[in-house]
Amino acid sequence: MAMNYIEAPRGASKANLEQYANGIGQMEQLARSLQSQELLPERFAPEPSRLRTSLEGRVRQETLTIGGKTSQELLGALTQGGFRIGSYARSMMESPAFTTLPEPQEIDLVRLQVKDLGISKNIPTTDEIYAKAQELGLDLCPAEVGPQLRLKYKDQPRGEWVTIGMKQIPASDGYPNVFEVGRHGRGLWLPSRWTRPDLWWNPGDQFVFSLRK
């Protein structure tokens, strides 16, 4: 029996997926083209996108593996990897509110700019951004996405800062914070950002949310 090309990546190792990422992407592009011409049998058609039409072509999607590490193990991995950890971010990871999954699990992420959400206000608040994201099929990330994304995103461009769309965790100063993933000079950072519900954000600010299943 012929194998659906989508079934093969699902059974592949993480190393194989990374090795053949370009080829898999090309196969998907070809399949979508053939499907649009009604030349592709349904069994071989690519899975329908879960991304809302208004976000297609405007956002970046990626898969991240989370879970399998405790907060202390994550802190240890960040330290050993040479990543810089902000003092407030460290206190968030040491908070009882910061939890991790016991077993590894893949999560689909969507990275976007505030303006991609289509909010009518030019400078929306945190609550307005979160509400619009929910409306578009995006969920808040588990807190461990911040440290896990920092560990994976080693080739981050200099000067880029990405905010994790997550439920705020009080830092050591008692104020609500979320994680950021950024690069300042040669340093790869996991800082935090004070994030009140009524905090204003600029159109070009970047967020990461999880894609709803």
Side-chain angles (χ1 to χ4, degrees), residues 50-51 55 59-66 105-112 137-150 152-153 162-165 181 207-213:
R50 307 199 316 270
L51 200 63
L55 296 177
V59 303
R60 173 177 170 178
Q61 293 181 254
E62 59 187 298
T63 300
L64 179 71
T65 300
I66 62 174
Q105 174 182 308
E106 288 190 342
I107 183 172
D108 294 321
L109 302 180
V110 173
R111 188 188 308 181
L112 50 77
L138 306 177
D139 291 328
L140 296 183
C141 296
E144 67 172 302
V145 164
Q148 294 279 17
L149 183 60
R150 175 67 288 165
K152 178 184 178 181
Y153 195 18
V162 182
T163 301
I164 307 301
V181 172
F207 274 85
V208 168
F209 291 101
S210 68
L211 181 59
R212 191 174 304 150
K213 293 183 179 181

Side-chain angles (χ1 to χ4, degrees), residues 154-169:
K154 297 178 182 178
D155 59 347
Q156 185 172 22
R158 185 175 300 181
E160 182 186 73
W161 297 88
V162 182
T163 301
I164 307 301
M166 55 176 279
K167 182 179 179 181
Q168 295 94 325
I169 294 177

